[in-house]
Amino acid sequence: MADDDKRNGKFWALALDRAHLGLWDWNLSTGDCYYSPTWSKMLGYEEGELPNAPDLWLKLTHPDDRQRAQESGDRHIAGLVDSIETELRLRHKDGRWVWVLDRGGTVERDAEGKPLRLMGVQTDITRQKEVEAELEQINVRFRLAIAASGTGIWHFDIGTQKSYWDARTREIFGVVTDHDEVAADFWHTFLHPEDKEVAERAHDVPVGSEGVTAVQYRIVRRDGEIRHVESLVRFIAAGAAGQILGTVRDITEEKRRAEELAFAARHDALTGLLNRAAFDRLLAENIAMAERLPLAVFYVDLDYFKALNDYAGHAAGDLALKSVAAGILASLPASAHAARLGGDEFALLVPNCNDACAERLARAVLAAVRDADLGPAVTSRRLAASIGIAFVRDRNMSVADALACADDACYAAKAGGRDRFAVFSPETTSGAAGLNAARLAADLVDAMEDGRLKLFGQEIHRLGLPWEDSRHVEVLARLEARTGNMIPPIDFVQVAERFGLAARLDRWIIHTAMIRHGGAMRAGAISLDFNLSAQTLSDPQLWSFVDEAIAESGAPPSAIGFEITETAAVTNFDAAEAFVRRARERHCRVSLDDFGAGMSSFEYLRRFPIDAIKIDGSFIEHIADSRFDREIVSAITGIARSMGAAVVAEKVEQKNALEILQGMGVAYGQGYFLHRPEPLEAIVARAMGGAREMRAG
């Protein structure tokens, strides 16, 4: 039967069409090449639309694939390979490229065995190639993700009992080799003895299981270095018996950072001692376990520390605090714990400590404070301490009460002349004063919630002008006892600082005032100034809180002012600097309060780009009679004005004092005649009424 008859057979044509195969038939002796209708159809052409030219396929082949396709045929014709098999791209009628798999070979030879005729089929594999490209993109992203995460991949073939580690796994374990295969028991030799059992149990995955096991353990590398690693392990059905597939990631640095963060959350950044929160938790645990021998609680308050800061600066103060902390730790037994409560106050707890033990430790701590390193620049000053000791024998005693008793004894030691210790006793100290302070601290927290903490304000006047020209108000707080009596601010503010509530109190005042009176502040009827404690200044989340309060209340930042006392600045100079910088970025006002009371006041003025200073009232109340006070105020006013800062005078209570201050150029005053603190609501209502009258006029 003729070739054409065979090619045109219905059965043949139907088979090619159903298989989506394009047939080609190349007669080497004549050079003719036949292409089946299904081949033309694969490229978008009708039957007979393409010529049966010998080089038709080559013209339609992608330029990048031509050489490879020709070489595949040439190698077969030369007898180097048994068949033709190659992938190439052919141009479709619509201009796109179609990937095809070309397979064929010799079907007829001459007497000498030379090929006379080649036949083959081409299959459209475009979709397969697209899937391969998509898969390769996924693999690239996967490899990038694996590389970025520092994760190694390994597997253990259960049937062959062979392990295979990729390069990253070998790097993590410190293995220097180019081979993936490692001995089956190789991994076990790296396991830390204390983690060996846990790690091996986690990797013993049951055959056929589907879950993923996560485990963290330590390895000991050949150079002796200990590393923390994390592995994810699961069974996969691959090979004759299955495989254990796993990942490994070095988490040593993560562990170190976590430990550092955990340490920072429990310890004071400057001294390394426990912080207040950690100490309170530890004290509560020890009180609950107090047995026959009592638990001793020490309250240590440094004497003359503020004077040291004034004289030598905050760097010397920081050095002293660190030296004191080191000396205290060296004085304590291993079972004891020490904390820095804040500023220059420390606390100690010593389990199973009787009177003789407490006295011995107190004397050692006093000596350590006296011997503290103040730096080479300080030669004429030394520190001392007052120590209060309370013995806890009642497991039901609260932490606050235990510290209050020790604090009360500390006050007794100060009253006795300082550089000494005293033991709490209701008969020999102030009795229940310390416990009353603890109860007052608890009552202050309740008052923030039940409405007994009241907002008051004091007008800040531009001297000689109506208050409406400035509309500045210093926000204050007053505590109403459950009996209805008002508790003096000096009492509950000191208690708040002693029991770590000062920052919470400041936040309550700021948030409550801004939420209640944000409308008046937006209307320009009033601007509010807030006092900040040292604890608040040191709060790293302070500005996040203030920004949220501004957003919630709608109060403009320019209508908000903050007052920092010199004492607060001394406690944390760097935090004060950072606070002032961030306040000015938001266009909030900043004032330095109680200015002139300390030796280093002018140093703060140089370091802080503040908007106003408030001269300490001790220089104002007798200014009419004291030439010294007048000179001090005049000097402060001149310096402040040269820096573009306003000056506020406190305790302006006499008319002749007002005239003197106006003559010096002091712009603002507090306390002049009837301008006493009053409920903030009344001041705001008056300000809003005045603002409405001005708009109506």
Side-chain angles (χ1 to χ4, degrees):
M1 184 177 292
D3 291 342
D4 289 344
D5 293 338
K6 294 178 181 177
R7 295 180 189 130
N8 293 328
K10 293 182 180 180
F11 181 82
W12 181 272
L14 182 62
L16 292 176
D17 185 65
R18 292 294 182 267
H20 301 287
L21 297 175
L23 174 71
W24 56 266
D25 184 353
W26 184 19
N27 190 324
L28 296 180
S29 59
T30 64
D32 294 335
C33 191
Y34 167 80
Y35 302 96
S36 70
T38 54
W39 187 86
S40 299
K41 182 180 178 181
M42 182 173 64
L43 299 180
Y45 295 94
E46 297 295 332
E47 183 177 359
E49 192 174 351
L50 289 172
N52 284 333
D55 60 348
L56 174 62
W57 71 275
L58 195 58
K59 292 179 179 179
L60 295 177
T61 299
H62 193 286
D64 293 344
D65 301 340
R66 287 174 186 168
Q67 182 177 352
R68 185 177 70 257
Q70 285 181 309
E71 289 176 350
S72 177
D74 292 344
R75 285 197 303 271
H76 174 64
I77 293 173
L80 300 177
V81 292
D82 293 335
S83 62
I84 298 171
E85 182 169 344
T86 187
E87 295 177 353
L88 65 150
R89 286 163 288 181
L90 299 176
R91 183 179 294 278
H92 193 274
K93 184 177 181 179
D94 61 12
R96 60 188 172 91
W97 294 102
V98 177
W99 275 100
V100 298
L101 173 60
D102 186 19
R103 286 175 172 168
T106 302
V107 296
E108 189 175 336
R109 299 177 182 273
D110 62 14
E112 297 177 357
K114 293 181 179 180
L116 293 177
R117 182 178 170 191
L118 305 179
M119 290 184 67
V121 293
Q122 292 183 347
T123 309
D124 186 341
I125 58 169
T126 304
R127 181 53 189 156
Q128 174 186 326
K129 298 297 285 188
E130 290 173 349
V131 171
E132 289 176 359
E134 293 172 0
L135 183 60
E136 178 58 22
Q137 289 183 355
I138 294 173
N139 287 336
V140 168
R141 290 195 292 269
F142 175 73
R143 287 192 294 269
L144 284 173
I146 290 293
S149 68
T151 301
I153 299 178
W154 56 267
H155 73 272
F156 173 68
D157 191 300
I158 298 175
T160 63
Q161 292 290 295
K162 292 182 179 180
S163 291
Y164 301 89
W165 293 7
D166 71 355
R168 181 54 61 88
T169 300
R170 299 195 300 271
E171 178 184 338
I172 291 172
F173 281 80
V175 177
V176 181
T177 178
D178 294 331
H179 303 293
D180 288 355
E181 184 178 342
V182 299
D185 62 347
F186 191 53
W187 169 72
H188 299 264
T189 64
F190 288 89
L191 299 181
H192 191 285
E194 296 178 6
D195 299 345
K196 185 177 179 67
E197 182 179 349
V198 171
E200 290 180 336
R201 185 167 60 249
H203 285 70
D204 187 15
V205 180
V207 174
S209 63
E210 297 182 354
V212 176
T213 302
V215 62
Q216 294 182 0
Y217 56 95
R218 287 167 293 174
I219 62 173
V220 183
R221 295 176 22 152
R222 294 296 185 254
D223 59 4
E225 182 181 9
I226 296 175
R227 307 293 293 181
H228 291 262
V229 299
E230 179 183 60
S231 285
L232 300 178
V233 188
R234 69 163 299 169
F235 171 83
I236 60 171
Q243 295 180 354
I244 306 299
L245 178 66
T247 65
V248 62
R249 187 167 63 90
D250 191 324
I251 59 171
T252 305
E253 295 307 316
E254 294 178 22
K255 283 283 188 181
R256 184 175 294 121
R257 285 194 296 271
E259 291 170 358
E260 290 172 352
L261 289 173
F263 184 89
R266 290 173 44 82
H267 293 80
D268 172 60
L270 178 64
T271 63
L273 300 182
L274 293 174
N275 58 25
R276 176 63 182 264
F279 184 81
D280 283 355
R281 290 193 296 269
L282 197 59
L283 180 55
E285 294 170 3
N286 277 265
I287 290 175
M289 295 185 297
E291 298 178 354
R292 182 177 59 85
L293 289 176
L295 170 70
V297 180
F298 293 64
Y299 202 102
V300 182
D301 190 4
L302 301 186
D303 299 321
Y304 319 119
F305 181 74
K306 185 177 184 299
L308 172 66
N309 266 293
D310 290 343
Y311 171 77
H314 72 284
D318 286 352
L319 177 62
L321 289 172
K322 289 191 284 188
S323 180
V324 166
I328 289 175
L329 284 177
S331 305
L332 298 179
S335 60
H337 299 275
R340 183 188 179 201
L341 301 183
D344 57 354
E345 296 176 327
F346 300 83
L348 319 175
L349 68 87
V350 187
N352 298 334
C353 183
N354 56 22
D355 290 3
C357 168
E359 179 177 346
R360 183 175 66 256
L361 291 177
R363 295 189 186 282
V365 170
L366 290 173
V369 173
R370 285 192 295 267
D371 295 338
D373 181 10
L374 308 183
V378 183
T379 58
S380 60
R381 292 176 181 269
R382 282 290 178 267
L383 288 178
S386 298
I387 300 177
I389 305 171
F391 292 102
V392 179
R393 297 176 173 85
D394 182 1
R395 295 186 181 184
N396 296 316
M397 177 176 277
S398 69
V399 168
D401 285 352
L403 279 173
C405 291
D407 189 21
D408 197 58
C410 181
Y411 274 100
K414 283 186 181 294
R418 306 192 181 200
D419 194 21
R420 63 193 61 208
F421 68 91
V423 179
F424 176 81
S425 169
E427 292 76 26
T428 58
T429 64
S430 56
L435 296 177
N436 288 338
R439 295 187 181 102
L440 178 56
D443 195 47
L444 175 61
V445 174
D446 293 339
M448 295 181 195
E449 301 175 358
D450 62 22
R452 288 184 295 108
L453 190 61
K454 311 290 186 181
L455 288 180
F456 273 61
Q458 182 170 6
E459 297 175 354
I460 303 176
H461 281 248
R462 187 183 293 274
L463 297 184
L465 296 174
W467 175 74
E468 287 74 15
D469 282 10
S470 61
R471 299 179 181 274
H472 288 338
V473 176
E474 179 182 359
V475 181
L476 307 170
R478 296 293 183 265
L479 177 61
E480 180 182 312
R482 297 185 187 277
T483 60
N485 297 327
M486 300 303 290
I487 299 173
I490 191 172
D491 290 344
F492 72 81
V493 170
Q494 287 184 352
V495 165
E497 292 175 346
R498 183 188 309 172
F499 288 92
L501 297 173
R504 182 172 178 179
L505 174 61
D506 288 350
R507 284 189 174 216
W508 183 91
I509 294 171
I510 293 170
H511 183 266
T512 304
M514 289 175 63
I515 295 302
R516 290 180 183 176
H517 306 300
M521 298 170 76
R522 287 195 304 273
I526 199 167
S527 62
L528 302 180
D529 288 4
F530 301 97
N531 293 288
L532 300 182
S533 68
Q535 293 175 16
T536 300
L537 270 182
S538 300
D539 181 1
Q541 301 300 319
L542 173 61
W543 273 112
S544 296
F545 164 78
V546 173
D547 289 340
E548 290 175 4
I550 290 174
E552 185 179 355
S553 66
S558 59
I560 302 169
F562 295 101
E563 298 185 7
I564 306 171
T565 65
E566 185 174 326
T567 301
V570 165
T571 302
N572 196 332
F573 206 97
D574 293 336
E577 276 192 302
F579 175 84
V580 171
R581 183 181 65 256
R582 298 182 71 178
R584 294 181 70 84
E585 289 172 355
R586 291 162 174 77
H587 304 291
C588 297
R589 299 184 314 282
V590 182
S591 300
L592 194 58
D593 201 2
D594 296 340
F595 189 82
M599 294 291 291
S600 58
S601 296
F602 289 99
E603 167 67 6
Y604 306 143
L605 191 59
R606 182 177 67 83
R607 294 284 297 274
F608 299 155
I610 44 81
D611 299 288
I613 61 173
K614 295 179 69 175
I615 302 176
D616 189 80
S618 63
F619 295 104
I620 305 299
E621 55 187 342
H622 303 298
I623 194 170
D625 306 316
S626 172
R627 178 182 175 183
F628 175 79
D629 289 346
R630 289 195 296 273
E631 293 292 341
I632 291 292
V633 173
S634 177
I636 293 173
T637 303
I639 292 173
R641 291 175 64 186
S642 70
M643 298 176 62
V647 180
V648 180
E650 299 179 322
K651 295 187 178 181
V652 185
E653 298 175 356
Q654 297 179 0
K655 190 169 184 178
N656 55 352
L658 171 63
E659 294 170 351
I660 292 171
L661 292 170
Q662 286 179 309
M664 292 181 177
V666 176
Y668 293 88
Q670 278 185 309
Y672 176 57
F673 298 117
L674 299 179
H675 309 312
R676 304 296 186 189
E678 57 180 310
L680 186 58
E681 296 280 356
I683 298 177
V684 174
R686 189 164 61 246
M688 289 295 288
R692 284 193 292 269
E693 290 177 6
M694 290 178 64
R695 287 196 295 270

